[in-house]
Amino acid sequence: MRRLNRIPHLTRASWRTATSAIALAIGLTLVTAGPASASFWAPQHGGSPNADRIHTLYAVVFGVGVVIFIAVFGALVYAMVKFRARPGAVAEQLHGNTRLEIGWTAGAAAIVLVLGIVTFLMLPGIRNPDNSDKDGFDVSQYQTAKDKDLLPPNGQSLNIDVNGQQYAWRFTYPDKDADRQNNVQSYEEMVVPTGTTVTLDIRSSDVGHAWWIPQLGGKADALPGYTNHTWFKVPAKALRNDDERENGRVFKGNCAELCGRNHANMTAQVRAVTPAKFQEWLDRQSADLVAAHEAAVKFRQEQQQSDKAEAAAAAAVDSDTTSADPSAPSTDSAAPAGAER
């Protein structure tokens, strides 16, 4: 009687069919997949040293994974072909191979150990800011992060406050004093100088958000009541042509945390410009801020004067109306007692 639990023999046609099905499934997955802010096989990079290091670490882990996959899949295919069922063949009964079991256990432990060592060796370069380049923006006169552990080795960075709000990002720039009420602010677009280390204090005014510009590094959560920190530095060579050196290069991103009904509209972008262009932009924003303040003060003064004039006019009208009313009591004094009649 034919055994029903026997593994069927795979013919060449079956292998071709299975291989075609797998290839088709992979192709459909790649075609229908949405954008994930990454290259074909790794995260985006090229905008900042920490993003480049994240990409390198990913490449190392990916390469090790590919080697393991090829080895395991190759061994599996080899075993399926070499030890496939044959008419009249009886499978040899094995009770384990101690050396083989020790070998693959030790090999897996060695792989994990190597990946762990590589990760912890590269992690400080990802987390800790680098110094600004020599041709970067001079930040020595500006307020910077208070915690020395969040600063580059030379203790100087352009520290920008990033505040997530439903549904926009607000950026507050440092200035030469400790009063934050007169600081330059912008929404949605952050302008930064090239060659300059930028440290970010990331927080939220309402719900959970996440700051993420893929080409400038990993994402950082923006949470109410808590401040997260990250950094990036766009090198001068990132401005690749005359147009970008004139107008800047834009790195786009978005909120990476579902934060409400308009989450998809909460985009963000960083525009990197030369230090000279950044100084021009900063001066222009400062001048606009002063002009807006002066205009607001002038408007309030004019409004107060107008309100006073209207109040005086209303009082005068009330006085004239009272004088012209015959039913109003006389203001003449009564005759003294005993006076001549």
Side-chain angles (χ1 to χ4, degrees):
M1 181 179 294
R2 185 177 181 181
R3 297 178 60 184
L4 298 178
N5 60 348
R6 182 185 177 192
I7 299 177
H9 176 65
L10 295 179
T11 63
R12 292 184 178 179
S14 300
W15 274 108
R16 285 195 296 268
T17 302
T19 304
S20 301
I22 294 173
L24 179 61
I26 294 175
L28 290 176
T29 302
L30 295 176
V31 170
T32 59
S37 296
S39 62
F40 179 76
W41 60 278
Q44 292 186 23
H45 65 292
S48 178
N50 53 336
D52 295 341
R53 292 161 191 160
I54 292 174
H55 181 271
T56 300
L57 180 58
Y58 190 96
V60 171
V61 176
F62 183 82
V64 173
V66 168
V67 172
I68 295 174
F69 174 81
I70 293 175
V72 173
F73 192 75
L76 178 62
V77 173
Y78 172 79
M80 292 174 62
V81 174
K82 182 174 179 60
F83 303 107
R84 66 185 185 274
R86 293 184 176 88
V90 179
E92 181 181 357
Q93 301 299 315
L94 302 177
H95 298 283
N97 187 315
T98 304
R99 292 182 179 180
L100 182 60
E101 293 174 357
I102 293 176
W104 68 48
T105 302
I111 292 172
V112 173
L113 180 62
V114 170
L115 290 179
I117 292 175
V118 172
T119 300
F120 281 98
L121 287 176
M122 297 189 64
L123 194 58
I126 296 173
R127 294 176 58 89
N128 302 330
D130 294 345
N131 287 331
S132 297
D133 298 337
K134 294 181 180 180
D135 57 351
F137 183 72
D138 182 15
V139 298
S140 59
Q141 56 185 331
Y142 293 92
Q143 297 290 320
T144 189
K146 298 179 180 179
D147 192 344
K148 294 182 179 180
D149 294 335
L150 304 174
L151 293 173
N154 64 5
Q156 296 182 358
S157 70
L158 181 66
N159 186 242
I160 300 177
D161 180 84
V162 179
N163 183 256
Q165 305 171 357
Q166 291 178 313
Y167 299 91
W169 295 101
R170 184 184 69 192
F171 312 117
T172 304
Y173 291 78
D175 57 11
K176 301 176 183 179
D177 57 56
D179 182 13
R180 295 177 62 86
Q181 299 300 318
N182 60 354
N183 290 35
V184 170
Q185 295 184 351
S186 65
Y187 283 86
E188 296 188 2
E189 182 180 71
M190 177 191 296
V191 180
V192 299
T194 57
T196 306
T197 299
V198 180
T199 54
L200 304 180
D201 298 334
I202 303 172
R203 54 194 180 87
S204 170
S205 296
D206 36 53
V207 300
H209 304 280
W211 168 259
W212 191 27
I213 307 294
Q215 287 184 276
L216 300 181
K219 65 180 180 179
D221 289 334
L223 303 173
Y226 185 80
T227 302
N228 267 324
H229 306 277
T230 188
W231 71 280
F232 64 86
K233 180 179 69 173
V234 181
K237 63 181 181 181
L239 304 182
R240 299 163 297 188
N241 50 53
D242 293 339
D243 180 67
E244 290 186 352
R245 282 186 285 272
E246 178 66 24
N247 302 313
R249 179 181 175 185
V250 176
F251 302 91
K252 295 186 177 181
N254 54 275
C255 175
E257 184 84 16
L258 182 59
C259 57
R261 59 187 296 181
N262 290 331
H263 161 72
N265 298 327
M266 192 171 174
T267 59
Q269 65 180 31
V270 173
R271 181 160 61 92
V273 298
T274 62
K277 293 289 184 181
F278 176 75
Q279 186 65 63
E280 294 176 4
W281 178 85
L282 198 62
D283 293 342
R284 185 167 60 252
Q285 295 294 110
S286 299
D288 291 344
L289 185 64
V290 172
H293 173 71
E294 293 176 349
V297 171
K298 182 179 179 181
F299 174 79
R300 286 195 295 267
Q301 292 175 346
E302 293 176 350
Q303 190 66 36
Q304 290 174 355
Q305 293 176 357
S306 176
D307 292 342
K308 289 181 180 179
E310 291 180 359
V317 170
D318 291 341
S319 177
D320 293 343
T321 303
T322 302
S323 300
D325 188 356
S327 63
S330 175
T331 57
D332 295 338
S333 301
E340 295 182 358
R341 299 189 179 186

